[in-house]
Amino acid sequence: MGRRKAVQDARRDREFEAFVAGAAGRLLHAATLLTAEPRDDNPRARHLLTLSLAHTYACWDRLRGEDPYDRTRQYLATRFSRAAWHQYGSLGALGRSRTHAAGPLASLTPQERLILVLRLYEGVAEEQTAALLGLPRERVHTICDRATATLLHPPRGPAPAVLGAKAVSP
């Protein structure tokens, strides 16, 4: 029985390695978008991905026809939302996160980033996103629209300073 177990473990390891080779890049990009870190310097995203892949590996034999990518993405989203909840009190309650924020979605709240990444980057349906986050579908739709509008039309900075009585024009 030891030999059979060794063969099964070797097969499992090969399958998981093939999965990671094909999915890790996209999952890392999703994690980097979630954490709002720069692409070149993303230790929180890498840690989040490592935890998600470790979870998927631990339950690899119990997937039974489930898509391992969906399972990993779901755990990644859950792990991110739990960490954001602990760090900020709630996903959107304390406004915009400025710690380590330098990525393209840095101007969004953690909740907005999570919904935008799931809906637009990953293509998860509103109903599935709502179920995953425990929100009504309409709320997910509203948050996604607001986040998209924030990205397309960022808030303007302060008005330019006026020198003396005349405005300086280029």
Side-chain angles (χ1 to χ4, degrees), residues 38-170:
R39 188 192 313 171
D40 303 344
D41 183 26
N42 55 3
R44 291 175 48 222
R46 289 178 182 280
H47 181 69
L48 188 61
L49 177 61
T50 301
L51 292 172
S52 300
L53 289 173
H55 180 265
T56 301
Y57 182 76
C59 58
W60 189 261
D61 291 332
R62 296 186 306 269
L63 288 178
R64 289 189 177 72
E66 272 187 77
D67 183 3
Y69 186 87
D70 287 342
R71 172 68 73 97
T72 307
R73 179 183 57 216
Q74 180 179 359
Y75 190 77
L76 185 95
T78 304
R79 195 71 195 198
F80 172 76
S81 66
R82 196 175 312 139
W85 179 270
H86 288 296
Q87 185 173 2
Y88 303 110
S90 74
L91 276 176
L94 297 180
R96 316 283 180 221
S97 164
R98 296 284 183 226
T99 57
H100 309 294
L105 304 183
S107 62
L108 302 177
T109 65
Q111 184 180 51
E112 289 170 337
R113 286 195 309 261
L114 179 58
I115 289 173
L116 201 67
V117 167
L118 288 173
R119 290 283 300 120
L120 301 182
Y121 180 72
E122 288 292 323
V124 178
E126 272 182 6
E127 293 79 14
Q128 289 176 304
T129 302
L132 177 64
L133 302 178
L135 296 171
R137 186 194 60 75
E138 295 80 15
R139 180 77 178 131
V140 168
H141 182 81
T142 301
I143 292 169
C144 188
D145 284 350
R146 182 180 62 218
T148 304
T150 300
L151 290 176
L152 293 175
H153 308 289
R156 293 183 184 183
V162 176
L163 298 175
K166 295 181 182 179
V168 177
S169 60

Side-chain angles (χ1 to χ4, degrees), residues 17-41:
E17 286 172 9
F19 163 70
V20 170
R26 184 172 173 95
L27 287 167
L28 178 60
H29 187 67
T32 302
L33 290 171
L34 288 174
T35 59
E37 294 174 306
R39 188 192 313 171
D40 303 344
D41 183 26

